[in-house]
Amino acid sequence: NAGVTQTPKFRVLKTGQSMTLLCAQDMNHEYMYWYRQDPGMGLRLIHYSVGEGTTAKGEVPDGYNVSRLKKQNFLLGLESAAPSQTSVYFCASRTGTDYGGMNTEAFFGQGTRLTVV
Amino acid sequence: QKEVEQDPGPLSVPEGAIVSLNCTYSNSAFQYFMWYRQYSRKGPELLMYTYSSGNKEDGRFTAQVDKSSKYISLFIRDSQPSDSATYLCAMSAGSSASKIIFGSGTRLSIRP
């Protein structure tokens, strides 16, 4: 049972380069999220999706784009990387089904450590 | 003003001590309150969740929610070195609400 898998785990980019982070989940979850985690800042929501073909902006969406062409995959793109995007990126997923509160658990991937130089 | 405020610590206590971790929030629509634990270089994992106000106990862990004060707490009894981690509070407006908002996390260290 893989859960939430993020690819790659580490990456170093030069300023201005582009890249795509892949998140895959095998739990048939409706909701998927991309967060970034910086020291002292906790987890900040970048973009999220409530279903295949839908995306929405979170707290810090600037400089990022996302796509959810398949239910199990959520892609995060950086078109022109900047040093301010150096961070650890976490993908998460959870079910959208209401079980009276039992659905609130979000499952996280192991993170992608991105450095932009 | 951030929707969820959490003291980042770090907090260091001796083994066996009672630990109190806290968060405050500003959005009165929050109904689901969660605590996640994150070990170094790992993704967060759900530790406990509560709905609305009240207490919930699970082994050495107790979560409290005071909606009137917009204040939540996590207590750890008989703390162990294995409890050393970052603890993040998280909140959402409803069980099917799409967004989960996290606090900044408190780094906890339990000294043997």
Side-chain angles (χ1 to χ4, degrees), chain B residues 36-53:
Chain B
Y36 281 78
R37 180 172 60 192
Q38 183 179 23
Y39 292 113
S40 181
R41 295 185 174 268
K42 299 289 187 181
E45 294 179 318
L46 183 67
L47 184 62
M48 294 186 71
Y49 79 92
T50 53
Y51 171 69
S52 193
S53 288

Side-chain angles (χ1 to χ4, degrees), chain B residues 36-105:
Chain B
Y36 281 78
R37 180 172 60 192
Q38 183 179 23
Y39 292 113
S40 181
R41 295 185 174 268
K42 299 289 187 181
E45 294 179 318
L46 183 67
L47 184 62
M48 294 186 71
Y49 79 92
T50 53
Y51 171 69
S52 193
S53 288
N55 296 357
K56 186 172 184 178
E57 188 173 319
D58 184 2
R60 297 184 294 109
F61 299 88
T62 299
Q64 287 186 350
V65 174
D66 182 349
K67 291 191 71 178
S68 62
S69 301
K70 297 189 176 65
Y71 188 88
I72 71 170
S73 300
L74 177 70
F75 297 95
I76 307 174
R77 293 184 300 279
D78 188 25
S79 56
Q80 303 295 311
S82 58
D83 296 328
S84 297
T86 296
Y87 291 79
L88 302 111
C89 62
M91 307 177 190
S92 68
S95 61
S96 58
S98 49
K99 289 197 291 185
I100 303 175
I101 305 300
F102 284 81
S104 57

Side-chain angles (χ1 to χ4, degrees), chain A residues 17-111:
Chain A
Q17 285 186 319
S18 63
M19 77 163 295
T20 300
L21 282 67
L22 171 64
C23 177
Q25 53 96 1
D26 61 3
M27 296 171 282
N28 201 35
H29 284 167
E30 290 81 9
Y31 297 166
M32 296 187 74
Y33 309 84
W34 276 108
Y35 290 90
R36 60 177 288 173
Q37 187 173 37
D38 303 291
M41 301 294 288
L43 288 165
R44 291 185 291 170
L45 183 62
I46 304 171
H47 286 280
Y48 64 100
S49 168
V50 300
E52 182 178 319
T54 71
T55 62
K57 294 180 180 180
E59 302 170 84
V60 289
D62 294 341
Y64 305 95
N65 57 77
V66 289
S67 64
R68 185 121 180 248
L69 299 179
K70 294 182 177 180
K71 186 177 184 178
Q72 63 268 35
N73 295 338
F74 195 29
L75 278 63
L76 177 70
L78 286 73
E79 291 185 347
S80 179
S84 61
Q85 294 178 305
T86 294
S87 188
V88 181
Y89 292 85
F90 285 100
C91 176
S93 73
R94 68 184 181 109
T95 179
T97 304
D98 185 349
Y99 293 120
M102 295 297 290
N103 71 320
T104 54
E105 179 173 6
F107 293 85
F108 283 81
Q110 292 286 70

Side-chain angles (χ1 to χ4, degrees), chain B residues 3-16:
Chain B
E3 284 189 284
V4 180
E5 299 280 358
Q6 183 175 9
D7 186 341
L11 182 63
S12 180
V13 301
E15 183 176 355

